[in-house]
Amino acid sequence: MHKTWIVTLETYLRQIKSWSFLFMVIGPFLMIGLTVGISYISANSASSSKEVAVISTSKPLRRAYLRQQTDNLNTRITTVSAAEAAVKKNHLAGYLQLSESHQQIRADYHGSSRMASGLKAQTQNFLQQYQQARNYQQAKLTAKQQRLLARTPVLQQHIAKKAGTANLAKTISFWILVTMIYIILITYASIAAQEIASDKGTKIMEIIFSSTTATSYFVGKIGGILLVILTQIIIYLVGGWAGYQIALNSTAVKPLIAENQSLIDAVLHNLLNLNLVYLFLGVIIYTILAAYSGAVVAKAEDASKAAQPVIMLGMFGFFATFPFQNNLDALFVKILSYVPFFSSYFMPMRIINGTVNGWEQLISLLILLAAIALFAGYIGSQYQRLMLQTDNRSFWQHLLHGWRHQD
Amino acid sequence: MLSIQHISKQFGPVKALNDVSFEVPNGQILGLIGQNGAGKSTTFHSILNFIQYDGTIRWQGKPLSPADFDTIGYLPEERSLMTKLTIEQQIVYLARLKDQSAKDIRPRIDDWLGRFAVKGTRKSRINDLSKGNQQKVQLICTLIHHPKLLILDEPFSGLDPVNADLLKQAILRARDDGAAIIFSSHDMENVSALCDQLVMLRKGDMVLHGTLAEVRNQFGKTELYVTTDWSADRLATLPGVGRVDLRQPGQYLLHLTDPAAGPTIFAELTQGHYIEEFSQQPPTLDEIFRMKVSEDHA
């Protein structure tokens, strides 16, 4: 155990200290930071020219408009000449001139381009309400008559709920989860295969196998790679949490979050539960398979070739989920949610959808754990023979030889 | 003591080892000689359980187990280190796998680097070292934990005479500390200088085994070194002389067909007078090696 830990630590530190790990981890943060930064700069540079001034000879009319509508309005400019000058200098997108003549409300927009659709809709809404109030006042209607005239038709949709159908929160959770599994798997399958194959190339294995058992060394290597994966997941979780906190304190994003709070809560709930365990265990079993593939290659340069079967299997699992997003009751989904290598994709789908009970989850998890233990044990027992094989047999010949000679 | 009894190993149709037996007591050095492909590395791989074999190998009376790993020092035939590590990181990592603490090993590194005259500091990257210095670092990794069983596969290959001497000193020191040492070499001079006993393998068969003196004496004192003013042709007429080789002007090596002819040759050659050189010896290890190899080709 002590020597396993030494190998784990050495593998972990070597990976963590590499530039490729640093770029891999900070890459998404850099992308997000860059996108936010560019959006912010672009928003700031455009902020002045997005504003619209409201001009009116009727102070009550202008006040009523400003009470209802505040976004992107310039309240400092109050005259047509000042507004025209500001539009010319590109400090204003335009100005809205409100007027009232013979109980008729009128709005004229002057700008270098058409009104923004949101502002147009809100302005029309304001004009409608204001004109209606004026009309009622003019017609001297009773309160009851006013209520009757204000009555509008109702359109409501009634959708029958189907057990296997995913709603928006489930769909988002599903996509985040399977994409995370897929990306981590693709990335680390190559890393694991390369890590193991590079050992084989150096032949330092003979020295190591005169110091510790092959099983202990193999488990140590896998442990080191898994610690790297865990580190990346933790960095993303902490980074995601920090980003969420920043967003909560941002005046620009806060309303958007508040508007979608229930959706965000539901997605987080779907992700931060047993599904995270499935994600991790799924990555473990694929990493072990990738390491095995790395062990059967003859040269380090063949490592990427060795990782291909693992990547293909991972891709198959990933793409096989697509047709079943809205049909989670299918027998195929139920079966694959118990089959190692696929359960990491299919069981989280069922958990997210709430169509699987605790016992079924436990059985699937135990099958996955047993498969990992058996698989690691088998490869550990074959590892020394595989790593010391240095002939020129092809990848497939090695694979067949590995299965035939399980001594 | 390392005890190897009747080990055999077959790779497909090729018999790599055929009923090989020998022992290496603690505090002794055994040299394993033989041509390329004779079975030297296969013997080492069998001792280390890298391959499955028929026969028995025991270390200190028991089959070698993972519990013994910490007492083994192994230098493989092909040198290889983790090139991205520094010398210190590499030595500490491999020593920790031998159950040594980093705290104990670190203070010893500079002493070992000095002992092997490594050109570089403990912070130098393995990648930046010359091939010879990488080999010396690997030797340090093999020896720094004071192994009780030392297995060295071609340790002298690639070393210049000065560095070969440094390695010899390290091997002798390990022997004096009580280690059982087995090493392979193509250089018979090193084998003669270091070994308490030797084993020669030829195509998996053990064709020679014993101390250096025992092995040489098996062939009789058939080499006669003389310094004389006789001509080669005249020397060839002496009784029991098969062939005459000129070593230097006036110096000859007579190959005897019968070692018992020595006294007769001495009497005829000296005629009761002083002679500068008359030395009757068994063949050198180098000659025995060539003889044994040529037997196979005959």
Side-chain angles (χ1 to χ4, degrees):
Chain A
M1 194 61 206
H2 171 63
K3 290 183 182 180
T4 304
W5 174 242
I6 292 169
V7 177
T8 298
L9 200 64
E10 194 279 330
T11 308
Y12 175 70
L13 291 177
R14 191 153 35 83
Q15 288 286 344
I16 288 287
K17 286 177 186 170
S18 68
W19 285 105
S20 56
F21 178 79
L22 187 71
F23 287 130
M24 188 166 69
V25 167
I26 64 168
F29 292 113
L30 278 179
M31 285 299 290
I32 292 168
L34 214 62
T35 311
V36 170
I38 289 169
S39 309
Y40 181 76
I41 291 166
S42 129
N44 267 359
S45 63
S47 62
S48 55
S49 59
K50 266 168 68 182
E51 284 182 353
V52 170
V54 181
I55 318 289
S56 180
T57 47
S58 163
K59 279 186 181 172
L61 180 59
R62 184 172 185 269
R63 262 202 307 274
Y65 184 87
L66 292 177
R67 252 202 313 275
Q68 183 177 311
Q69 167 76 15
T70 51
D71 284 348
N72 289 325
L73 291 185
N74 184 317
T75 53
R76 297 180 303 278
I77 295 174
T78 52
T79 63
V80 171
S81 56
E84 276 174 348
V87 170
K88 263 188 189 169
K89 288 178 186 167
N90 206 26
H91 290 167
L92 277 183
Y95 64 93
L96 190 68
Q97 202 172 359
L98 301 173
S99 58
E100 186 176 1
S101 169
H102 306 295
Q103 304 300 326
Q104 172 78 46
I105 311 296
R106 181 185 169 95
D108 292 281
Y109 179 75
H110 303 269
S112 49
S113 58
R114 287 174 179 278
M115 269 177 114
S117 57
L119 184 67
K120 187 179 172 188
Q122 280 163 340
T123 303
Q124 271 177 335
N125 190 34
F126 167 78
L127 293 173
Q128 182 82 30
Q129 284 179 7
Y130 203 86
Q131 184 68 62
Q132 199 172 39
R134 270 294 155 88
N135 292 347
Y136 289 170
Q137 201 179 10
Q138 193 71 18
K140 295 187 171 61
L141 296 176
T142 64
K144 191 183 175 188
Q145 286 169 324
Q146 284 184 24
R147 273 200 308 278
L148 283 171
L149 281 172
R151 190 179 288 166
T152 54
V154 176
L155 170 67
Q156 194 170 356
Q157 297 187 68
H158 301 274
I159 312 295
K161 277 192 180 172
K162 205 174 125 200
T165 307
N167 62 25
L168 184 62
K170 289 172 183 175
T171 306
I172 292 172
S173 312
F174 161 79
W175 279 111
I176 292 176
L177 197 75
V178 292
T179 308
M180 267 172 78
I181 295 176
Y182 180 69
I183 289 174
I184 292 177
L185 189 155
I186 296 292
T187 310
Y188 283 96
S190 301
I191 290 176
Q194 189 80 46
E195 175 77 31
I196 301 288
S198 65
D199 269 352
K200 189 164 181 166
T202 62
K203 304 217 174 130
I204 197 167
M205 299 317 298
E206 288 191 7
I207 300 171
I208 287 170
F209 290 156
S210 73
S211 307
T212 184
T213 61
T215 306
S216 165
Y217 182 74
F218 178 71
V219 172
K221 274 271 168 191
I222 295 294
I225 295 166
L226 293 178
L227 272 187
V228 178
I229 297 172
L230 202 60
T231 305
Q232 189 177 359
I233 292 174
I234 289 171
I235 290 172
Y236 284 171
L237 285 177
V238 171
W241 178 82
Y244 186 56
Q245 294 304 314
I246 292 168
L248 279 178
N249 292 317
S250 154
T251 47
V253 189
K254 198 175 176 179
L256 194 71
I257 292 176
E259 205 176 301
N260 298 293
Q261 193 63 55
S262 59
L263 180 69
I264 292 167
D265 288 348
V267 170
L268 287 177
H269 172 76
N270 283 336
L271 296 179
L272 303 175
N273 56 17
L274 196 66
N275 287 335
L276 214 56
V277 178
Y278 267 102
L279 184 149
F280 194 58
L281 292 181
V283 171
I284 289 178
I285 198 162
Y286 276 101
T287 305
I288 292 174
L289 184 66
Y292 180 63
S293 303
V296 296
V297 299
K299 302 187 290 284
E301 304 87 77
D302 293 339
S304 55
K305 206 170 22 176
Q308 281 309 309
V310 187
I311 291 172
M312 297 290 268
L313 191 67
M315 281 172 78
F316 177 74
F318 179 60
F319 289 115
T321 57
F322 287 16
F324 298 100
Q325 285 175 66
N326 287 317
N327 187 17
L328 295 170
D329 295 328
L331 184 64
F332 184 75
V333 175
K334 285 181 180 168
I335 292 170
L336 287 187
S337 64
Y338 293 98
V339 178
F341 291 107
F342 298 107
S343 57
S344 305
Y345 286 111
F346 285 89
M347 188 49 94
M349 276 170 77
R350 296 182 67 198
I351 293 174
I352 287 170
N353 205 46
T355 54
V356 59
N357 65 39
W359 279 108
E360 287 175 297
Q361 292 177 35
L362 188 67
I363 291 167
S364 168
L365 207 59
L366 288 176
I367 292 173
L368 184 56
L369 282 169
I372 288 171
L374 285 172
F375 204 37
Y378 166 73
I379 294 171
S381 70
Q382 298 293 303
Y383 194 63
Q384 177 167 304
R385 191 183 52 73
L386 287 170
M387 292 305 281
L388 296 180
Q389 259 176 358
T390 49
D391 55 58
N392 290 325
R393 272 182 290 187
S394 72
F395 171 77
W396 295 108
Q397 281 173 320
H398 273 293
L399 209 62
L400 287 172
H401 188 259
W403 284 101
R404 281 181 190 153
H405 298 78
Q406 296 176 21
D407 46 25
Chain B
M1 181 167 72
L2 176 71
S3 168
I4 291 177
Q5 300 301 325
H6 310 292
I7 63 161
S8 298
K9 175 69 189 174
Q10 187 112 12
F11 290 114
V14 179
K15 198 132 201 167
L17 288 175
N18 185 25
D19 197 26
V20 172
S21 299
F22 59 84
E23 289 179 342
V24 190
N26 296 340
Q28 282 205 13
I29 303 173
L30 180 137
L32 200 55
I33 58 174
Q35 281 188 290
N36 295 331
K40 302 186 294 294
S41 294
T42 307
T43 305
F44 294 149
H45 288 179
S46 302
I47 296 169
L48 292 162
N49 282 330
F50 289 170
I51 52 174
Q52 296 206 318
Y53 54 87
D54 296 323
T56 314
I57 297 178
R58 289 179 173 269
W59 166 241
Q60 311 294 37
K62 292 178 292 181
L64 199 86
S65 72
D68 299 309
F69 284 162
D70 298 341
T71 63
I72 295 173
Y74 172 58
L75 182 79
E77 186 181 1
E78 288 176 55
R79 311 288 176 260
S80 85
L81 292 167
M82 299 154 95
T83 50
K84 287 179 183 169
L85 299 188
T86 63
I87 292 177
E88 178 176 342
Q89 285 169 337
Q90 179 69 91
I91 294 174
V92 167
Y93 175 54
L94 292 178
R96 288 188 73 202
L97 287 178
K98 294 288 184 190
D99 210 26
Q100 302 283 307
S101 76
K103 211 168 74 182
D104 288 343
I105 289 296
R106 282 199 183 100
R108 288 194 243 156
I109 292 174
D110 284 334
D111 176 44
W112 278 89
L113 292 180
R115 219 185 274 184
F116 276 97
V118 175
K119 302 257 183 310
T121 67
R122 55 169 64 211
K123 297 292 175 201
S124 304
R125 288 209 178 276
I126 301 287
N127 223 5
D128 298 333
L129 298 177
S130 69
K131 243 181 175 176
N133 281 303
Q134 285 189 23
Q135 187 170 345
K136 288 194 255 183
V137 171
Q138 192 153 346
L139 282 164
I140 294 171
C141 295
T142 311
L143 296 165
I144 200 166
H145 60 288
H146 298 298
K148 290 294 165 204
L149 173 60
L150 197 50
I151 300 167
L152 309 168
D153 200 351
E154 306 286 354
F156 295 102
S157 72
L159 288 182
D160 60 49
V162 175
N163 285 312
D165 273 344
L166 292 172
L167 175 58
K168 273 184 212 168
Q169 296 310 314
I171 292 174
L172 290 172
R173 200 175 295 133
R175 182 201 61 185
D176 295 343
D177 287 345
I181 302 166
I182 176 168
F183 78 94
S184 62
S185 182
H186 292 296
D187 185 338
M188 299 305 138
E189 199 184 316
N190 288 327
V191 177
S192 303
L194 286 171
C195 294
D196 297 296
Q197 51 170 327
L198 67 93
V199 165
M200 180 176 175
L201 296 176
R202 190 180 62 205
K203 291 186 176 172
D205 290 316
M206 196 166 76
V207 291
L208 288 172
H209 179 212
T211 63
L212 186 62
E214 283 167 355
V215 168
R216 289 184 68 193
N217 288 331
Q218 280 175 32
F219 292 83
K221 295 190 174 178
T222 56
E223 313 279 291
L224 184 57
Y225 295 83
V226 296
T227 300
T228 176
D229 53 3
W230 285 33
S231 69
D233 290 343
R234 196 176 164 200
L235 287 169
T237 61
L238 287 168
V241 175
R243 198 176 84 232
V244 178
D245 291 337
L246 177 70
R247 292 184 290 145
Q248 296 280 327
Q251 295 180 356
Y252 299 92
L253 169 59
L254 313 184
H255 298 274
L256 306 185
T257 51
D258 178 13
T264 314
I265 295 171
F266 181 77
E268 283 204 29
L269 194 63
T270 59
Q271 303 284 329
H273 295 101
Y274 170 77
I275 186 167
E276 197 177 324
E277 183 190 17
F278 186 97
S279 175
Q280 190 176 353
Q281 294 177 18
T284 61
L285 196 55
D286 204 41
E287 285 163 334
I288 293 170
F289 185 84
R290 286 170 204 279
M291 237 186 283
K292 282 288 170 190
V293 169
S294 63
E295 266 175 26
D296 181 51
H297 295 309

